[in-house]
Amino acid sequence: MAKYSEIVDYLLAKIANHEIRSAWKMPTIRKLADLFQCSKETVVRAYLELQKKHVVYSVPQKGYFLVKQADKVSNSRMIDFAVAAPCEEALPYTEFQHCLNQAIDQYQYALFNYSNAQGLPGLIDVLVKYLQEYQVFANPEQVFITTGAQQAISILTAMKFVNNKTAVLVEQPKSAGDEFCPGRWDRAEF
């Protein structure tokens, strides 16, 4: 077994035994390197493995912390649904920050730039596979992701349809107070 795997197992056992609790700071890299008599890089690799599994998150200049476990949230606390926003303690800000940091690290070059006009290629591939489960077969070149209905309508009005057809099928929008009725479709002429 690799040394970093031993460290991962050690930390998971500490978490399971409640020796490390949600949102607590994890043991330092130096402390674990001394304990396991290994390099700091090995400890960092162990923490990266735990980070990939969403067990820990890192805070620059502060270290690694245990992700707050959902089952630890007390259900005895009353939640007031009359207010527009939940209490601040209920929102996992540090976990949100972890997710945002991961997204920035992973998509740093495409995140704040205009991407492919067709949409995010990875998302298109996932959608093509998803649609196949519903017997809708499309090539990735035929799938476009829009930022909303207005953009989709604009694209549809500007494009030529096969055999010079002008009708498309669109799902009937739901108005405030309307009951949701799946499968209701309207015909739109362009």
Side-chain angles (χ1 to χ4, degrees), residues 124-171:
I124 290 171
D125 293 338
V126 169
L127 285 174
V128 167
K129 290 176 187 165
Y130 177 77
L131 291 170
Q132 287 174 357
E133 294 176 18
Y134 292 94
Q135 302 299 308
V136 176
F137 301 99
N139 294 323
E141 302 81 38
Q142 296 171 311
V143 176
F144 286 78
I145 299 171
T146 63
T147 58
Q150 191 66 36
Q151 184 185 14
I153 291 169
S154 175
I155 291 169
L156 288 172
T157 59
M159 66 187 280
K160 282 206 162 265
F161 292 99
V162 178
N163 300 330
N164 292 322
K165 301 284 183 175
T166 59
V168 294
L169 220 50
V170 294
E171 186 176 7

mmCIF file of all heavy atoms in Angstrom, residues 124-171:
data_model
loop_
_atom_site.group_PDB
_atom_site.id
_atom_site.type_symbol
_atom_site.label_atom_id
_atom_site.label_comp_id
_atom_site.label_asym_id
_atom_site.label_seq_id
_atom_site.Cartn_x
_atom_site.Cartn_y
_atom_site.Cartn_z
ATOM 1 N N ILE A 124 -22.554 19.616 -23.574
ATOM 2 C CA ILE A 124 -23.238 19.124 -24.775
ATOM 3 C C ILE A 124 -23.109 17.608 -24.874
ATOM 4 O O ILE A 124 -24.094 16.904 -25.146
ATOM 5 C CB ILE A 124 -22.689 19.813 -26.043
ATOM 6 C CG1 ILE A 124 -23.117 21.282 -26.059
ATOM 7 C CG2 ILE A 124 -23.157 19.105 -27.310
ATOM 8 C CD1 ILE A 124 -22.487 22.120 -27.123
ATOM 9 N N ASP A 125 -21.915 17.075 -24.610
ATOM 10 C CA ASP A 125 -21.721 15.621 -24.651
ATOM 11 C C ASP A 125 -22.613 14.915 -23.639
ATOM 12 O O ASP A 125 -23.203 13.876 -23.924
ATOM 13 C CB ASP A 125 -20.251 15.272 -24.403
ATOM 14 C CG ASP A 125 -19.341 15.735 -25.532
ATOM 15 O OD1 ASP A 125 -19.838 15.939 -26.666
ATOM 16 O OD2 ASP A 125 -18.128 15.893 -25.277
ATOM 17 N N VAL A 126 -22.732 15.482 -22.442
ATOM 18 C CA VAL A 126 -23.592 14.887 -21.411
ATOM 19 C C VAL A 126 -25.054 14.939 -21.851
ATOM 20 O O VAL A 126 -25.806 13.973 -21.680
ATOM 21 C CB VAL A 126 -23.393 15.611 -20.061
ATOM 22 C CG1 VAL A 126 -24.440 15.198 -19.046
ATOM 23 C CG2 VAL A 126 -22.001 15.346 -19.523
ATOM 24 N N LEU A 127 -25.473 16.066 -22.438
ATOM 25 C CA LEU A 127 -26.860 16.198 -22.889
ATOM 26 C C LEU A 127 -27.196 15.213 -24.004
ATOM 27 O O LEU A 127 -28.292 14.656 -24.032
ATOM 28 C CB LEU A 127 -27.134 17.630 -23.354
ATOM 29 C CG LEU A 127 -27.279 18.664 -22.257
ATOM 30 C CD1 LEU A 127 -27.394 20.060 -22.852
ATOM 31 C CD2 LEU A 127 -28.484 18.364 -21.387
ATOM 32 N N VAL A 128 -26.257 14.992 -24.929
ATOM 33 C CA VAL A 128 -26.490 14.042 -26.018
ATOM 34 C C VAL A 128 -26.756 12.655 -25.439
ATOM 35 O O VAL A 128 -27.698 11.960 -25.846
ATOM 36 C CB VAL A 128 -25.300 14.033 -27.007
ATOM 37 C CG1 VAL A 128 -25.367 12.847 -27.946
ATOM 38 C CG2 VAL A 128 -25.276 15.333 -27.803
ATOM 39 N N LYS A 129 -25.956 12.233 -24.476
ATOM 40 C CA LYS A 129 -26.160 10.927 -23.834
ATOM 41 C C LYS A 129 -27.471 10.893 -23.061
ATOM 42 O O LYS A 129 -28.184 9.891 -23.070
ATOM 43 C CB LYS A 129 -24.981 10.614 -22.911
ATOM 44 C CG LYS A 129 -23.703 10.327 -23.653
ATOM 45 C CD LYS A 129 -22.539 10.119 -22.712
ATOM 46 C CE LYS A 129 -21.249 10.001 -23.513
ATOM 47 N NZ LYS A 129 -20.073 10.159 -22.673
ATOM 48 N N TYR A 130 -27.796 11.982 -22.387
ATOM 49 C CA TYR A 130 -29.040 12.055 -21.622
ATOM 50 C C TYR A 130 -30.252 11.951 -22.546
ATOM 51 O O TYR A 130 -31.210 11.236 -22.259
ATOM 52 C CB TYR A 130 -29.077 13.363 -20.828
ATOM 53 C CG TYR A 130 -30.345 13.583 -20.053
ATOM 54 C CD1 TYR A 130 -30.577 12.903 -18.860
ATOM 55 C CD2 TYR A 130 -31.306 14.472 -20.507
ATOM 56 C CE1 TYR A 130 -31.737 13.106 -18.134
ATOM 57 C CE2 TYR A 130 -32.476 14.676 -19.795
ATOM 58 C CZ TYR A 130 -32.690 13.997 -18.613
ATOM 59 O OH TYR A 130 -33.844 14.189 -17.916
ATOM 60 N N LEU A 131 -30.213 12.664 -23.657
ATOM 61 C CA LEU A 131 -31.332 12.629 -24.600
ATOM 62 C C LEU A 131 -31.534 11.241 -25.191
ATOM 63 O O LEU A 131 -32.671 10.846 -25.488
ATOM 64 C CB LEU A 131 -31.112 13.667 -25.709
ATOM 65 C CG LEU A 131 -31.219 15.131 -25.277
ATOM 66 C CD1 LEU A 131 -30.752 16.051 -26.394
ATOM 67 C CD2 LEU A 131 -32.641 15.463 -24.851
ATOM 68 N N GLN A 132 -30.454 10.491 -25.362
ATOM 69 C CA GLN A 132 -30.569 9.141 -25.908
ATOM 70 C C GLN A 132 -31.420 8.252 -25.012
ATOM 71 O O GLN A 132 -32.110 7.359 -25.495
ATOM 72 C CB GLN A 132 -29.184 8.520 -26.101
ATOM 73 C CG GLN A 132 -28.423 9.118 -27.254
ATOM 74 C CD GLN A 132 -26.996 8.608 -27.355
ATOM 75 O OE1 GLN A 132 -26.533 7.839 -26.523
ATOM 76 N NE2 GLN A 132 -26.293 9.054 -28.389
ATOM 77 N N GLU A 133 -31.390 8.482 -23.716
ATOM 78 C CA GLU A 133 -32.218 7.709 -22.788
ATOM 79 C C GLU A 133 -33.702 7.928 -23.058
ATOM 80 O O GLU A 133 -34.532 7.108 -22.683
ATOM 81 C CB GLU A 133 -31.886 8.082 -21.347
ATOM 82 C CG GLU A 133 -30.490 7.695 -20.917
ATOM 83 C CD GLU A 133 -30.155 8.160 -19.519
ATOM 84 O OE1 GLU A 133 -31.088 8.481 -18.746
ATOM 85 O OE2 GLU A 133 -28.951 8.199 -19.197
ATOM 86 N N TYR A 134 -34.051 9.039 -23.699
ATOM 87 C CA TYR A 134 -35.432 9.353 -24.038
ATOM 88 C C TYR A 134 -35.696 9.172 -25.538
ATOM 89 O O TYR A 134 -36.633 9.748 -26.082
ATOM 90 C CB TYR A 134 -35.758 10.789 -23.599
ATOM 91 C CG TYR A 134 -35.760 10.919 -22.097
ATOM 92 C CD1 TYR A 134 -34.623 11.328 -21.415
ATOM 93 C CD2 TYR A 134 -36.894 10.601 -21.360
ATOM 94 C CE1 TYR A 134 -34.615 11.424 -20.034
ATOM 95 C CE2 TYR A 134 -36.896 10.702 -19.981
ATOM 96 C CZ TYR A 134 -35.757 11.098 -19.328
ATOM 97 O OH TYR A 134 -35.756 11.190 -17.962
ATOM 98 N N GLN A 135 -34.831 8.385 -26.178
ATOM 99 C CA GLN A 135 -34.967 8.055 -27.600
ATOM 100 C C GLN A 135 -34.891 9.291 -28.501
ATOM 101 O O GLN A 135 -35.493 9.332 -29.557
ATOM 102 C CB GLN A 135 -36.280 7.287 -27.854
ATOM 103 C CG GLN A 135 -36.404 6.001 -27.049
ATOM 104 C CD GLN A 135 -35.292 5.012 -27.377
ATOM 105 O OE1 GLN A 135 -35.061 4.712 -28.532
ATOM 106 N NE2 GLN A 135 -34.601 4.535 -26.357
ATOM 107 N N VAL A 136 -34.146 10.302 -28.064
ATOM 108 C CA VAL A 136 -33.873 11.475 -28.892
ATOM 109 C C VAL A 136 -32.408 11.375 -29.276
ATOM 110 O O VAL A 136 -31.527 11.469 -28.426
ATOM 111 C CB VAL A 136 -34.141 12.795 -28.123
ATOM 112 C CG1 VAL A 136 -33.763 13.992 -28.980
ATOM 113 C CG2 VAL A 136 -35.591 12.873 -27.687
ATOM 114 N N PHE A 137 -32.165 11.135 -30.574
ATOM 115 C CA PHE A 137 -30.806 10.907 -31.039
ATOM 116 C C PHE A 137 -30.328 12.131 -31.804
ATOM 117 O O PHE A 137 -30.919 12.508 -32.813
ATOM 118 C CB PHE A 137 -30.749 9.646 -31.898
ATOM 119 C CG PHE A 137 -31.210 8.428 -31.150
ATOM 120 C CD1 PHE A 137 -32.500 7.946 -31.303
ATOM 121 C CD2 PHE A 137 -30.370 7.800 -30.250
ATOM 122 C CE1 PHE A 137 -32.935 6.838 -30.596
ATOM 123 C CE2 PHE A 137 -30.796 6.695 -29.532
ATOM 124 C CZ PHE A 137 -32.076 6.210 -29.701
ATOM 125 N N ALA A 138 -29.296 12.766 -31.274
ATOM 126 C CA ALA A 138 -28.750 13.961 -31.893
ATOM 127 C C ALA A 138 -27.231 13.880 -31.842
ATOM 128 O O ALA A 138 -26.653 13.295 -30.936
ATOM 129 C CB ALA A 138 -29.231 15.211 -31.151
ATOM 130 N N ASN A 139 -26.601 14.453 -32.843
ATOM 131 C CA ASN A 139 -25.147 14.586 -32.836
ATOM 132 C C ASN A 139 -24.794 15.820 -32.010
ATOM 133 O O ASN A 139 -25.584 16.769 -31.948
ATOM 134 C CB ASN A 139 -24.618 14.766 -34.260
ATOM 135 C CG ASN A 139 -24.852 13.538 -35.101
ATOM 136 O OD1 ASN A 139 -24.756 12.421 -34.612
ATOM 137 N ND2 ASN A 139 -25.178 13.744 -36.368
ATOM 138 N N PRO A 140 -23.612 15.841 -31.424
ATOM 139 C CA PRO A 140 -23.220 17.032 -30.653
ATOM 140 C C PRO A 140 -23.281 18.328 -31.475
ATOM 141 O O PRO A 140 -23.560 19.384 -30.917
ATOM 142 C CB PRO A 140 -21.781 16.712 -30.221
ATOM 143 C CG PRO A 140 -21.732 15.226 -30.172
ATOM 144 C CD PRO A 140 -22.632 14.763 -31.286
ATOM 145 N N GLU A 141 -23.078 18.231 -32.777
ATOM 146 C CA GLU A 141 -23.138 19.431 -33.624
ATOM 147 C C GLU A 141 -24.559 19.981 -33.729
ATOM 148 O O GLU A 141 -24.767 21.117 -34.150
ATOM 149 C CB GLU A 141 -22.629 19.134 -35.041
ATOM 150 C CG GLU A 141 -21.220 18.603 -35.114
ATOM 151 C CD GLU A 141 -21.127 17.093 -34.819
ATOM 152 O OE1 GLU A 141 -22.005 16.322 -35.238
ATOM 153 O OE2 GLU A 141 -20.168 16.712 -34.134
ATOM 154 N N GLN A 142 -25.554 19.186 -33.363
ATOM 155 C CA GLN A 142 -26.952 19.599 -33.477
ATOM 156 C C GLN A 142 -27.511 20.162 -32.171
ATOM 157 O O GLN A 142 -28.647 20.597 -32.137
ATOM 158 C CB GLN A 142 -27.814 18.395 -33.898
ATOM 159 C CG GLN A 142 -27.466 17.860 -35.267
ATOM 160 C CD GLN A 142 -28.176 16.553 -35.552
ATOM 161 O OE1 GLN A 142 -28.156 15.642 -34.734
ATOM 162 N NE2 GLN A 142 -28.813 16.490 -36.712
ATOM 163 N N VAL A 143 -26.719 20.146 -31.115
ATOM 164 C CA VAL A 143 -27.184 20.602 -29.807
ATOM 165 C C VAL A 143 -26.581 21.969 -29.514
ATOM 166 O O VAL A 143 -25.371 22.161 -29.621
ATOM 167 C CB VAL A 143 -26.805 19.593 -28.703
ATOM 168 C CG1 VAL A 143 -27.208 20.113 -27.332
ATOM 169 C CG2 VAL A 143 -27.422 18.231 -28.977
ATOM 170 N N PHE A 144 -27.445 22.905 -29.155
ATOM 171 C CA PHE A 144 -27.018 24.244 -28.795
ATOM 172 C C PHE A 144 -27.570 24.576 -27.416
ATOM 173 O O PHE A 144 -28.730 24.308 -27.129
ATOM 174 C CB PHE A 144 -27.528 25.288 -29.801
ATOM 175 C CG PHE A 144 -26.790 25.257 -31.109
ATOM 176 C CD1 PHE A 144 -27.072 24.282 -32.054
ATOM 177 C CD2 PHE A 144 -25.803 26.179 -31.379
ATOM 178 C CE1 PHE A 144 -26.393 24.234 -33.252
ATOM 179 C CE2 PHE A 144 -25.109 26.143 -32.576
ATOM 180 C CZ PHE A 144 -25.402 25.169 -33.510
ATOM 181 N N ILE A 145 -26.742 25.159 -26.581
ATOM 182 C CA ILE A 145 -27.163 25.562 -25.245
ATOM 183 C C ILE A 145 -27.321 27.071 -25.259
ATOM 184 O O ILE A 145 -26.406 27.801 -25.640
ATOM 185 C CB ILE A 145 -26.125 25.131 -24.196
ATOM 186 C CG1 ILE A 145 -25.981 23.612 -24.219
ATOM 187 C CG2 ILE A 145 -26.534 25.625 -22.818
ATOM 188 C CD1 ILE A 145 -24.849 23.092 -23.380
ATOM 189 N N THR A 146 -28.488 27.531 -24.845
ATOM 190 C CA THR A 146 -28.750 28.971 -24.840
ATOM 191 C C THR A 146 -28.859 29.454 -23.401
ATOM 192 O O THR A 146 -29.024 28.671 -22.474
ATOM 193 C CB THR A 146 -30.055 29.296 -25.592
ATOM 194 O OG1 THR A 146 -31.151 28.684 -24.906
ATOM 195 C CG2 THR A 146 -30.001 28.801 -27.026
ATOM 196 N N THR A 147 -28.788 30.756 -23.244
ATOM 197 C CA THR A 147 -28.897 31.338 -21.915
ATOM 198 C C THR A 147 -30.342 31.563 -21.517
ATOM 199 O O THR A 147 -30.609 32.010 -20.412
ATOM 200 C CB THR A 147 -28.138 32.676 -21.842
ATOM 201 O OG1 THR A 147 -28.668 33.548 -22.833
ATOM 202 C CG2 THR A 147 -26.661 32.467 -22.034
ATOM 203 N N GLY A 148 -31.264 31.265 -22.390
ATOM 204 C CA GLY A 148 -32.677 31.415 -22.069
ATOM 205 C C GLY A 148 -33.540 31.323 -23.307
ATOM 206 O O GLY A 148 -33.057 31.172 -24.433
ATOM 207 N N ALA A 149 -34.841 31.415 -23.100
ATOM 208 C CA ALA A 149 -35.804 31.271 -24.190
ATOM 209 C C ALA A 149 -35.636 32.368 -25.241
ATOM 210 O O ALA A 149 -35.760 32.111 -26.440
ATOM 211 C CB ALA A 149 -37.221 31.280 -23.633
ATOM 212 N N GLN A 150 -35.337 33.576 -24.811
ATOM 213 C CA GLN A 150 -35.218 34.690 -25.769
ATOM 214 C C GLN A 150 -34.094 34.433 -26.764
ATOM 215 O O GLN A 150 -34.250 34.660 -27.957
ATOM 216 C CB GLN A 150 -34.988 36.001 -25.014
ATOM 217 C CG GLN A 150 -35.116 37.233 -25.881
ATOM 218 C CD GLN A 150 -36.536 37.424 -26.382
ATOM 219 O OE1 GLN A 150 -37.499 37.148 -25.681
ATOM 220 N NE2 GLN A 150 -36.668 37.878 -27.619
ATOM 221 N N GLN A 151 -32.959 33.953 -26.277
ATOM 222 C CA GLN A 151 -31.852 33.648 -27.176
ATOM 223 C C GLN A 151 -32.222 32.504 -28.115
ATOM 224 O O GLN A 151 -31.910 32.550 -29.303
ATOM 225 C CB GLN A 151 -30.596 33.296 -26.395
ATOM 226 C CG GLN A 151 -29.391 33.055 -27.296
ATOM 227 C CD GLN A 151 -28.162 32.576 -26.552
ATOM 228 O OE1 GLN A 151 -28.230 32.177 -25.401
ATOM 229 N NE2 GLN A 151 -27.030 32.607 -27.226
ATOM 230 N N ALA A 152 -32.903 31.487 -27.609
ATOM 231 C CA ALA A 152 -33.311 30.358 -28.448
ATOM 232 C C ALA A 152 -34.267 30.818 -29.541
ATOM 233 O O ALA A 152 -34.126 30.423 -30.707
ATOM 234 C CB ALA A 152 -33.971 29.278 -27.593
ATOM 235 N N ILE A 153 -35.222 31.677 -29.202
ATOM 236 C CA ILE A 153 -36.170 32.192 -30.198
ATOM 237 C C ILE A 153 -35.439 33.022 -31.244
ATOM 238 O O ILE A 153 -35.708 32.922 -32.443
ATOM 239 C CB ILE A 153 -37.286 33.006 -29.508
ATOM 240 C CG1 ILE A 153 -38.178 32.058 -28.692
ATOM 241 C CG2 ILE A 153 -38.110 33.789 -30.525
ATOM 242 C CD1 ILE A 153 -39.140 32.769 -27.754
ATOM 243 N N SER A 154 -34.482 33.819 -30.808
ATOM 244 C CA SER A 154 -33.703 34.626 -31.743
ATOM 245 C C SER A 154 -32.945 33.743 -32.731
ATOM 246 O O SER A 154 -32.922 34.021 -33.939
ATOM 247 C CB SER A 154 -32.731 35.510 -30.967
ATOM 248 O OG SER A 154 -31.884 36.211 -31.843
ATOM 249 N N ILE A 155 -32.331 32.678 -32.238
ATOM 250 C CA ILE A 155 -31.597 31.764 -33.118
ATOM 251 C C ILE A 155 -32.550 31.072 -34.084
ATOM 252 O O ILE A 155 -32.273 30.949 -35.289
ATOM 253 C CB ILE A 155 -30.810 30.729 -32.281
ATOM 254 C CG1 ILE A 155 -29.661 31.421 -31.537
ATOM 255 C CG2 ILE A 155 -30.283 29.597 -33.164
ATOM 256 C CD1 ILE A 155 -28.984 30.554 -30.499
ATOM 257 N N LEU A 156 -33.698 30.620 -33.585
ATOM 258 C CA LEU A 156 -34.669 29.916 -34.434
ATOM 259 C C LEU A 156 -35.203 30.812 -35.550
ATOM 260 O O LEU A 156 -35.427 30.359 -36.673
ATOM 261 C CB LEU A 156 -35.822 29.376 -33.591
ATOM 262 C CG LEU A 156 -35.494 28.193 -32.697
ATOM 263 C CD1 LEU A 156 -36.660 27.883 -31.765
ATOM 264 C CD2 LEU A 156 -35.123 26.971 -33.521
ATOM 265 N N THR A 157 -35.419 32.093 -35.248
ATOM 266 C CA THR A 157 -35.945 32.991 -36.287
ATOM 267 C C THR A 157 -34.911 33.304 -37.351
ATOM 268 O O THR A 157 -35.264 33.678 -38.468
ATOM 269 C CB THR A 157 -36.457 34.313 -35.676
ATOM 270 O OG1 THR A 157 -35.392 34.951 -34.985
ATOM 271 C CG2 THR A 157 -37.629 34.074 -34.751
ATOM 272 N N ALA A 158 -33.640 33.130 -37.034
ATOM 273 C CA ALA A 158 -32.576 33.471 -37.980
ATOM 274 C C ALA A 158 -32.111 32.282 -38.830
ATOM 275 O O ALA A 158 -31.412 32.467 -39.808
ATOM 276 C CB ALA A 158 -31.381 34.052 -37.231
ATOM 277 N N MET A 159 -32.515 31.062 -38.466
ATOM 278 C CA MET A 159 -31.980 29.904 -39.174
ATOM 279 C C MET A 159 -32.957 29.344 -40.199
ATOM 280 O O MET A 159 -34.151 29.551 -40.107
ATOM 281 C CB MET A 159 -31.567 28.813 -38.180
ATOM 282 C CG MET A 159 -32.694 28.186 -37.407
ATOM 283 S SD MET A 159 -32.122 27.046 -36.123
ATOM 284 C CE MET A 159 -31.785 25.604 -37.061
ATOM 285 N N LYS A 160 -32.407 28.656 -41.169
ATOM 286 C CA LYS A 160 -33.230 27.979 -42.176
ATOM 287 C C LYS A 160 -33.529 26.579 -41.698
ATOM 288 O O LYS A 160 -32.671 25.899 -41.169
ATOM 289 C CB LYS A 160 -32.491 27.906 -43.514
ATOM 290 C CG LYS A 160 -32.505 29.174 -44.298
ATOM 291 C CD LYS A 160 -32.361 28.795 -45.770
ATOM 292 C CE LYS A 160 -32.790 29.938 -46.630
ATOM 293 N NZ LYS A 160 -34.147 29.857 -47.053
ATOM 294 N N PHE A 161 -34.763 26.141 -41.915
ATOM 295 C CA PHE A 161 -35.157 24.807 -41.524
ATOM 296 C C PHE A 161 -35.103 23.873 -42.723
ATOM 297 O O PHE A 161 -35.198 24.301 -43.883
ATOM 298 C CB PHE A 161 -36.576 24.819 -40.933
ATOM 299 C CG PHE A 161 -36.650 25.527 -39.609
ATOM 300 C CD1 PHE A 161 -37.086 26.843 -39.526
ATOM 301 C CD2 PHE A 161 -36.278 24.882 -38.455
ATOM 302 C CE1 PHE A 161 -37.154 27.490 -38.321
ATOM 303 C CE2 PHE A 161 -36.336 25.524 -37.238
ATOM 304 C CZ PHE A 161 -36.774 26.829 -37.169
ATOM 305 N N VAL A 162 -35.017 22.590 -42.433
ATOM 306 C CA VAL A 162 -34.986 21.567 -43.471
ATOM 307 C C VAL A 162 -36.280 21.633 -44.284
ATOM 308 O O VAL A 162 -37.359 21.836 -43.741
ATOM 309 C CB VAL A 162 -34.825 20.165 -42.826
ATOM 310 C CG1 VAL A 162 -34.842 19.079 -43.871
ATOM 311 C CG2 VAL A 162 -33.556 20.113 -42.000
ATOM 312 N N ASN A 163 -36.185 21.477 -45.583
ATOM 313 C CA ASN A 163 -37.336 21.480 -46.501
ATOM 314 C C ASN A 163 -38.156 22.766 -46.432
ATOM 315 O O ASN A 163 -39.351 22.757 -46.674
ATOM 316 C CB ASN A 163 -38.237 20.270 -46.245
ATOM 317 C CG ASN A 163 -37.502 18.976 -46.453
ATOM 318 O OD1 ASN A 163 -36.583 18.898 -47.262
ATOM 319 N ND2 ASN A 163 -37.900 17.943 -45.724
ATOM 320 N N ASN A 164 -37.511 23.861 -46.044
ATOM 321 C CA ASN A 164 -38.165 25.172 -45.955
ATOM 322 C C ASN A 164 -39.388 25.177 -45.042
ATOM 323 O O ASN A 164 -40.317 25.939 -45.244
ATOM 324 C CB ASN A 164 -38.533 25.697 -47.351
ATOM 325 C CG ASN A 164 -37.291 26.025 -48.148
ATOM 326 O OD1 ASN A 164 -36.313 26.528 -47.603
ATOM 327 N ND2 ASN A 164 -37.314 25.708 -49.436
ATOM 328 N N LYS A 165 -39.394 24.326 -44.024
ATOM 329 C CA LYS A 165 -40.495 24.304 -43.046
ATOM 330 C C LYS A 165 -40.374 25.533 -42.158
ATOM 331 O O LYS A 165 -39.298 26.091 -41.976
ATOM 332 C CB LYS A 165 -40.449 23.032 -42.192
ATOM 333 C CG LYS A 165 -40.528 21.750 -42.979
ATOM 334 C CD LYS A 165 -41.926 21.515 -43.440
ATOM 335 C CE LYS A 165 -41.972 20.161 -44.158
ATOM 336 N NZ LYS A 165 -43.286 19.785 -44.536
ATOM 337 N N THR A 166 -41.498 25.969 -41.612
ATOM 338 C CA THR A 166 -41.473 27.153 -40.758
ATOM 339 C C THR A 166 -42.034 26.892 -39.366
ATOM 340 O O THR A 166 -42.044 27.784 -38.537
ATOM 341 C CB THR A 166 -42.291 28.296 -41.403
ATOM 342 O OG1 THR A 166 -43.635 27.844 -41.584
ATOM 343 C CG2 THR A 166 -41.681 28.730 -42.720
ATOM 344 N N ALA A 167 -42.497 25.687 -39.093
ATOM 345 C CA ALA A 167 -43.096 25.393 -37.794
ATOM 346 C C ALA A 167 -42.120 24.607 -36.920
ATOM 347 O O ALA A 167 -41.403 23.735 -37.397
ATOM 348 C CB ALA A 167 -44.381 24.590 -37.972
ATOM 349 N N VAL A 168 -42.097 24.953 -35.654
ATOM 350 C CA VAL A 168 -41.318 24.198 -34.677
ATOM 351 C C VAL A 168 -42.232 23.906 -33.491
ATOM 352 O O VAL A 168 -43.207 24.608 -33.243
ATOM 353 C CB VAL A 168 -40.058 24.952 -34.198
ATOM 354 C CG1 VAL A 168 -39.065 25.136 -35.312
ATOM 355 C CG2 VAL A 168 -40.419 26.266 -33.556
ATOM 356 N N LEU A 169 -41.900 22.883 -32.748
ATOM 357 C CA LEU A 169 -42.651 22.516 -31.570
ATOM 358 C C LEU A 169 -41.955 23.103 -30.353
ATOM 359 O O LEU A 169 -40.750 22.948 -30.189
ATOM 360 C CB LEU A 169 -42.645 20.990 -31.465
ATOM 361 C CG LEU A 169 -43.914 20.285 -31.033
ATOM 362 C CD1 LEU A 169 -45.106 20.742 -31.835
ATOM 363 C CD2 LEU A 169 -43.729 18.795 -31.154
ATOM 364 N N VAL A 170 -42.701 23.816 -29.523
ATOM 365 C CA VAL A 170 -42.139 24.369 -28.299
ATOM 366 C C VAL A 170 -43.028 23.973 -27.137
ATOM 367 O O VAL A 170 -44.243 23.841 -27.287
ATOM 368 C CB VAL A 170 -42.005 25.916 -28.364
ATOM 369 C CG1 VAL A 170 -40.999 26.335 -29.412
ATOM 370 C CG2 VAL A 170 -43.339 26.567 -28.603
ATOM 371 N N GLU A 171 -42.403 23.766 -25.990
ATOM 372 C CA GLU A 171 -43.193 23.420 -24.818
ATOM 373 C C GLU A 171 -44.000 24.628 -24.397
ATOM 374 O O GLU A 171 -43.531 25.766 -24.445
ATOM 375 C CB GLU A 171 -42.262 22.992 -23.691
ATOM 376 C CG GLU A 171 -42.995 22.474 -22.492
ATOM 377 C CD GLU A 171 -42.048 21.963 -21.420
ATOM 378 O OE1 GLU A 171 -40.840 22.130 -21.563
ATOM 379 O OE2 GLU A 171 -42.549 21.403 -20.447
#
